[in-house]
């Protein structure tokens, strides 16, 4: 017998057999209840490290446990394969994006197989495959048909480095989320998806998602940003033009002393035509100075600055004329592109008014009823209206209702609801993405590509320089014929945001080879929604919000049924660091999967990743930690392998005879470990570190028993049970031991050991006794001992009595079967 577990040959052999036998293929015809577990599909960047493996090992442990609990588990994998890195590789290395991507996919697929994951590889997808992005285009056209995909000119976030447009969510602290370059604002004609039509449903749906982290739900609520208020129309003096503002505090309308427009607001053109040349020039100069500024810079980072236009607006209620400014902090495509300035009751407006010496008119009394002249700071609370015409004396809440009704009756405004987030910009001026299936014809205008002409294929030989849109410079791609009239036409050169394809990929897994539809409705009815979704918290707003939007649209079409939410439960895994830092090639601290598997074995790596911390926490890779898991597997091997032939005669499905306390304790350790594993999955905590700690205790007990009672039925029972307990976490050694026990079917097709209440019972317990929080004794007691009896035993302990020494027992705390604590003074 080998003293150590020779992992290399064993792990390789079992992986080959699992693949050969199709062990993890899911079949919708399987009568067992379904369980769909999914990790967010990775971008094929080239090489995985152990930080990536943490996520996939977690999902795999869940999938394996659920199979052993009797579920028909769907656990697929694929590749989010479009995106900028492939184009950057084409520029830097002279490799076509498709070639670079496919090479990376092959390597990463090999690595995912290497770590022993139980994926159904027959369902593998890659979003760059024409058979996948064909359905991207098909879905885009369905959105287009229903008025949810449209094109308009708009200020956009432009990354000069990557030469592409970014969605608002892809701008982080004013910089591109991919390359980190400062983002600029430009006006371009772009494609949008009308996600705002689903704003209220997206909000309401969050209440249904009790299996999601509350922080994630809160972030989505804040991003959607629902506000209830009043929208009202302002007329521009000496002009037929007007503009609208939205306010949640219409009770302060009589306190408006200025209004501010975005420099790009359509009404600014009308204003320039009625003001002096000097004012018009000042407006143009100011607007020009903001063209290179990002949205974040204008709204958060820059000092609030404005320019008086020379024009005035008429307050729709007080009829007072108020000056119109243009300012950097107001954006044309956010809200109405205009805001009313109420400096007495808004902090930002107060600062702006002070800076430009504008009037500050208090119209809400302070809580004590005082009127402070001048105000030292803005009062943003509610109260009694003052200097507000017919509404003077009303409380804020009532005034808001009465004023809103008056505005509506007058036809100049009314109550409305606004949302902070905006429509999803999906145009990208890149090559490596899904071509948008629209052509432009001089006769017919904007024409969708017919379904029978999909996919619109990416041309394979387009030069990629990193400047502008490669497709726009390719005549063979751009020049086409109109599908409607047959005249010469021009293709859309933009490609789709890569979040488009990742917003529905979980449905393609259900039907990856379907050539007639993106998925069959019956398959969606069987498998959806995803029972457990796993991925990083960085996708809280981007991918998760977009996926929810898509799924609601699919639900409206009848393509999916049941819940309108695609992901029933969501788990965010923590990061794995190396030497306290995020792993990266530039830091030289990457711990590779291949090297770790070669040196320590896959099972040891998996056990370390699951054991080091709870999975939602950030953890650190350590050599000591992985070495400890190697030693654990060697202990498993030495404690069980020599006894497998004898253990094969003792069933792990029936409790063995137990005549001694040691035998009872050993069998109890088996069932404690079994219960811990099931509890972590059923509770959705997934703290497999706790379950593995129970396995540590069991293996220690088996090691001792191997020396003291190797013929005991209880010992042989524990040896036979051990592979069943190890299987979700260390699948290779579990399979090898199970095979050597004489079983011809895989351990991963077996059921878990069901915890037995009789086996979990204990004859005696140890109570910890504390005095003022410090341990002073440990006492032996019967399970279930009452509080009074427990304290009586504690007070009989000499060390406890010495600590009390005549002092008064002020409080006593009892944790049943665990702790007695006396607080004395």
């Amino acid at each position: 017998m080998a003293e150590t577990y020779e992992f290399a040959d064993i792990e390789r052999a079992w992986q080959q057999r699992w693949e050969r036998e199709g062990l993890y293929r899911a079949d919708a015809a399987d009568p067992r209840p379904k369980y769909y577990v999914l990790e967010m599909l990775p971008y094929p960047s080239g090489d995985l490290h152990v930080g990536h493996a943490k996520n996939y090992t977690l999902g795999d442990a869940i999938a394996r446990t659920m199979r052993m609990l009797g579920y028909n588990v769907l656990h697929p994998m694929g590749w989010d394969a479009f995106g900028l890195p492939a184009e950057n590789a084409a520029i830097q290395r002279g490799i076509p994006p498709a070639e670079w991507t496919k090479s990376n996919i092959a390597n990463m697929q090999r690595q995912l197989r290497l770590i022993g994951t139980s994926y159904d590889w027959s369902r593998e997808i890659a979003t760059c495959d024409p058979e996948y992005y064909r359905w991207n285009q098909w879905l885009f056209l369905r959105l287009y048909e229903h008025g949810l995909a449209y094109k308009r000119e708009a200020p956009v976030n432009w990354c000069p480095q990557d030469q592409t447009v970014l969605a608002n969510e892809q701008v982080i602290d004013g910089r591109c989320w991919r390359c980190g370059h400062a983002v600029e604002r430009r006006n371009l004609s772009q494609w949008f998806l009308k996600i705002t039509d689903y704003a209220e449903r997206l909000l309401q749906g969050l209440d249904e998602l009790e299996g999601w982290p509350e922080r994630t739900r809160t972030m989505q609520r804040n991003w959607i940003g629902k506000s209830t208020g009043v929208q009202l129309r302002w007329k521009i003096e000496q002009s037929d033009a007007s503009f609208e503002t939205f306010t949640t505090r219409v009770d302060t309308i009589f306190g408006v002393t200025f209004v501010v427009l975005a420099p790009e607001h359509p009404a600014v053109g009308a204003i320039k035509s009625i003001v002096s040349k000097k004012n018009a020039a000042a407006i143009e100069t100011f607007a020009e100075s903001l063209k290179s500024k990002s949205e974040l810079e204008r709204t958060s980072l820059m000092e609030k600055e404005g320019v008086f236009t020379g024009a005035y607006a008429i307050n729709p209620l007080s009829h007072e004329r108020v000056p119109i400014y243009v300012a950097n902090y107001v954006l044309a495509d956010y809200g109405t592109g205009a805001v009313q300035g109420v400096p007495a009751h808004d902090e930002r407006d107060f600062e702006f008014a002070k800076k430009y010496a504008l009037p500050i008119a208090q119209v809400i009394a302070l809580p004590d009823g005082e009127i402070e002249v001048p105000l030292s700071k803005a009062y943003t609370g509610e109260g009694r209206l003052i200097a507000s015409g017919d509404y003077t004396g009303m409380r804020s809440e009532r005034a808001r209702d009465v004023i809103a009704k008056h505005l509506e009756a007058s036809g100049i405004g009314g109550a409305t609801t606004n949302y902070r987030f905006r429509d999803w910009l999906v145009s990208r001026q890149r090559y490596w993405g899904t071509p948008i299936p629209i052509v432009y014809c001089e006769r017919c205008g904007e024409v969708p590509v017919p379904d029978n002409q999909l996919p619109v294929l990416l041309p394979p030989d387009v030069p990629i320089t990193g400047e502008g849109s490669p497709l726009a410079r390719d005549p063979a791609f751009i020049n086409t014929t109109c599908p409607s009239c047959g005249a010469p036409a021009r293709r859309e050169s933009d490609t789709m945001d890569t979040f488009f394809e990742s917003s529905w990929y979980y449905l393609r897994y259900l039907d990856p080879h379907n050539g007639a539809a993106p998925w069959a409705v019956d398959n969606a009815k069987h498998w959806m929604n995803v029972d457990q979704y796993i991925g990083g918290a960085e996708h809280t707003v981007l991918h998760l919000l977009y996926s929810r939007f898509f799924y609601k649209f699919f639900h409206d079409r009848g393509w999916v049924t049941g819940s309108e939410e695609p992901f029933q439960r969501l788990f965010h895994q923590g990061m794995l660091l190396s030497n306290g830092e995020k792993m990266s090639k530039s830091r030289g601290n990457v711990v590779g999967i291949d090297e770790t598997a070669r040196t320590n074995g896959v099972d040891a790596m998996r056990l370390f990743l699951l054991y080091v911390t709870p999975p939602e926490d950030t953890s650190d890779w350590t050599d000591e930690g992985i070495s400890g898991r190697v030693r654990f597997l060697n202990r498993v091997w030495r404690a069980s392998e020599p006894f497998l032939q004898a253990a094969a005669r003792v069933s792990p499905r029936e409790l063995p005879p137990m005549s001694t306390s040691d035998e009872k304790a050993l069998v109890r350790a088996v069932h404690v470990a079994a219960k811990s594993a099931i509890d972590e999955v059923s509770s959705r905590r997934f703290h497999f570190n706790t379950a593995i700690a129970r396995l540590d205790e069991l293996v220690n007990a088996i090691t001792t028993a191997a020396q003291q009672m190797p013929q005991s039925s209880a010992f042989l029972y524990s040896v036979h049970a051990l592979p069943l307990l190890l299987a979700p976490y260390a699948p290779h050694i579990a399979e090898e031991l199970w095979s050597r026990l004489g079983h011809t079917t895989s351990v991963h097709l077996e059921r878990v050991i069901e915890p037995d209440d009789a086996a979990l019972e204990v004859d005696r317990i140890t109570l910890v006794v504390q005095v003022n929080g410090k341990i002073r004794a440990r006492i032996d007691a019967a399970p279930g001992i009452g509080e009074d009896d427990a304290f009586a035993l504690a007070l009989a302990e000499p060390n406890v009595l010495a600590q009390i020494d005549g002092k008064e027992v002020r409080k006593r705390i009892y944790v049943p079967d665990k702790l007695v604590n006396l607080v004395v003074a």
Side-chain angles (χ1 to χ4, degrees), residues 610-688:
L610 294 169
Y611 179 67
V612 62
T613 59
E616 68 272 21
D617 292 348
T618 296
S619 50
D620 212 331
W621 180 269
T622 64
D623 292 338
E624 297 87 344
I626 186 66
S627 296
R629 294 301 92 195
V630 172
R631 291 193 297 272
F632 168 78
L633 289 172
N634 286 330
R635 290 203 312 275
V636 167
W637 190 257
R638 289 193 298 269
S640 58
E641 200 279 336
F643 306 99
L644 294 175
Q645 186 174 354
R649 297 191 291 270
V650 178
S651 171
R653 302 299 181 186
E654 299 176 4
L655 291 180
M658 296 168 281
S659 57
T660 69
S661 59
D662 287 344
E663 288 178 325
K664 290 180 181 179
L666 180 58
V667 173
R668 184 175 186 275
V670 170
H671 287 260
V672 166
K675 185 176 186 301
S676 179
I678 294 172
D679 286 349
E680 291 307 324
V681 170
S682 60
S683 68
R684 309 303 193 272
R685 286 184 311 238
F686 308 130
H687 286 187
F688 295 125

Side-chain angles (χ1 to χ4, degrees), residues 333-372:
D333 61 340
Y334 183 79
T336 64
V339 298
Q340 53 199 51
V342 188
H345 304 292
D346 181 274
E347 293 175 356
R348 182 186 63 187
D349 295 344
F350 185 86
E351 293 175 6
F352 193 86
K354 283 287 189 181
K355 182 172 183 175
Y356 293 102
L358 294 166
I360 298 174
Q362 183 182 352
V363 294
I364 305 289
L366 302 180
D368 56 8
E370 290 187 14
I371 301 173
E372 183 183 343

Side-chain angles (χ1 to χ4, degrees), residues 199-226 420-421 536-542 544-545 548 552 565 567-572:
E200 193 60 34
R201 288 168 65 184
L202 288 166
L203 269 178
Q204 292 177 357
L206 292 169
D207 296 334
E208 178 186 328
L209 298 175
E210 295 178 357
W212 282 38
E214 184 54 39
R215 182 172 179 270
T216 299
R217 293 199 287 173
T218 298
M219 289 178 71
Q220 286 209 5
R221 287 190 185 98
N222 292 341
W223 184 261
I224 295 168
K226 181 178 180 180
R420 177 180 176 272
F421 81 146
E538 67 271 18
H539 297 292
T540 294
V541 172
L542 292 162
L544 291 170
L545 187 64
R548 296 181 59 230
K552 292 180 189 303
E565 295 293 336
F567 313 121
Q568 182 176 345
R569 292 184 174 275
L570 174 67
F571 190 93
H572 294 313

Side-chain angles (χ1 to χ4, degrees), residues 346-514:
D346 181 274
E347 293 175 356
R348 182 186 63 187
D349 295 344
F350 185 86
E351 293 175 6
F352 193 86
K354 283 287 189 181
K355 182 172 183 175
Y356 293 102
L358 294 166
I360 298 174
Q362 183 182 352
V363 294
I364 305 289
L366 302 180
D368 56 8
E370 290 187 14
I371 301 173
E372 183 183 343
V373 181
L375 277 173
S376 58
K377 62 180 181 179
Y379 171 61
T380 59
E382 300 195 351
R384 181 176 54 83
L385 271 64
I386 58 175
S388 297
D390 294 341
Y391 310 101
T392 298
M394 290 185 184
R395 304 295 298 180
S396 289
E397 185 176 0
R398 179 167 180 263
R400 284 195 293 272
D401 182 58
V402 173
I403 293 172
K405 289 178 179 176
H406 171 75
L407 290 169
E408 190 164 358
S410 303
I412 53 176
T416 189
T417 298
N418 269 12
Y419 298 91
R420 177 180 176 272
F421 81 146
R422 283 162 277 176
D423 285 342
W424 173 13
L425 191 159
V426 294
S427 285
R428 296 295 179 270
Q429 289 68 46
R430 305 301 295 178
Y431 165 77
W432 194 233
T434 299
I436 293 175
I438 297 290
V439 299
Y440 302 99
C441 173
E442 288 188 5
R443 295 180 189 172
C444 306
E446 200 174 82
V447 182
V449 174
D451 290 354
N452 62 8
Q453 293 182 22
L454 300 179
V456 176
L457 292 169
L458 283 171
D461 52 359
V462 174
I464 299 173
T465 63
E467 298 178 0
S469 168
L471 294 179
R473 298 194 305 268
D474 181 26
F477 176 82
I478 286 293
N479 297 323
T480 186
T481 56
C482 175
S484 179
C485 71
R490 178 176 54 85
R491 287 196 189 279
E492 172 62 69
S493 61
D494 284 359
T495 54
M496 296 182 199
D497 179 8
T498 56
F499 282 104
F500 192 104
E501 50 256 28
S502 64
S503 295
W504 70 276
Y505 76 100
Y506 47 88
L507 284 158
R508 187 60 177 171
Y509 282 141
L510 313 183
D511 225 352
H513 310 296
N514 190 335

Side-chain angles (χ1 to χ4, degrees), residues 586-817:
S586 62
R587 292 190 180 99
N589 66 345
V590 171
V591 180
I593 284 177
D594 292 276
E595 175 191 353
T596 303
R598 185 168 53 251
T599 305
N600 303 293
V602 169
D603 282 345
M605 177 176 64
R606 289 171 60 103
L607 286 166
F608 172 85
L609 295 171
L610 294 169
Y611 179 67
V612 62
T613 59
E616 68 272 21
D617 292 348
T618 296
S619 50
D620 212 331
W621 180 269
T622 64
D623 292 338
E624 297 87 344
I626 186 66
S627 296
R629 294 301 92 195
V630 172
R631 291 193 297 272
F632 168 78
L633 289 172
N634 286 330
R635 290 203 312 275
V636 167
W637 190 257
R638 289 193 298 269
S640 58
E641 200 279 336
F643 306 99
L644 294 175
Q645 186 174 354
R649 297 191 291 270
V650 178
S651 171
R653 302 299 181 186
E654 299 176 4
L655 291 180
M658 296 168 281
S659 57
T660 69
S661 59
D662 287 344
E663 288 178 325
K664 290 180 181 179
L666 180 58
V667 173
R668 184 175 186 275
V670 170
H671 287 260
V672 166
K675 185 176 186 301
S676 179
I678 294 172
D679 286 349
E680 291 307 324
V681 170
S682 60
S683 68
R684 309 303 193 272
R685 286 184 311 238
F686 308 130
H687 286 187
F688 295 125
N689 56 309
T690 301
I692 293 170
R694 302 291 82 79
L695 285 172
D696 276 349
E697 295 166 359
L698 173 60
V699 172
N700 289 340
I702 291 175
T703 300
T704 300
Q707 299 169 350
Q708 297 178 354
M709 49 180 183
Q711 304 303 318
S712 165
S713 294
F715 166 70
L716 297 174
Y717 167 86
S718 67
V719 169
H720 202 152
L722 185 57
L724 293 167
L725 300 170
L726 284 169
Y729 321 122
H732 306 88
I733 193 172
E735 193 78 281
E736 182 69 16
L737 294 173
W738 192 249
S739 175
R740 294 191 183 203
L741 280 160
H743 297 284
T744 56
T745 57
S746 171
V747 68
H748 303 295
L749 300 179
E750 295 289 328
R751 283 193 65 88
V752 297
I753 292 177
E754 299 288 348
D756 189 289
D757 290 340
L760 290 168
E761 288 181 0
V762 293
D763 294 330
R764 306 294 291 175
I765 60 167
T766 298
L767 283 174
V768 174
V769 182
Q770 296 179 336
V771 178
N772 290 341
K774 293 185 178 180
I775 298 174
R776 299 302 181 184
R778 287 180 171 84
I779 53 180
D780 189 57
I785 184 174
E787 182 175 344
D788 291 339
D789 291 338
F791 278 99
L793 287 175
L795 291 171
E797 287 291 314
N799 196 30
V800 174
L801 288 172
Q803 294 298 318
I804 296 176
D805 193 23
K807 296 174 185 175
E808 179 186 356
V809 178
R810 295 283 184 87
K811 187 177 182 180
R812 65 185 202 179
I813 301 167
Y814 180 55
V815 180
D817 288 356

Side-chain angles (χ1 to χ4, degrees), residues 174-208:
R175 295 185 174 275
C176 174
W177 75 301
R178 282 202 182 274
C179 71
H181 197 281
V183 171
E184 300 175 356
R185 298 287 285 176
R186 290 190 182 181
N187 273 335
L188 290 176
S189 184
Q190 302 288 301
W191 284 97
F192 291 82
L193 298 185
K194 210 168 185 182
I195 190 174
T196 52
D197 273 13
Y198 284 75
E200 193 60 34
R201 288 168 65 184
L202 288 166
L203 269 178
Q204 292 177 357
L206 292 169
D207 296 334
E208 178 186 328

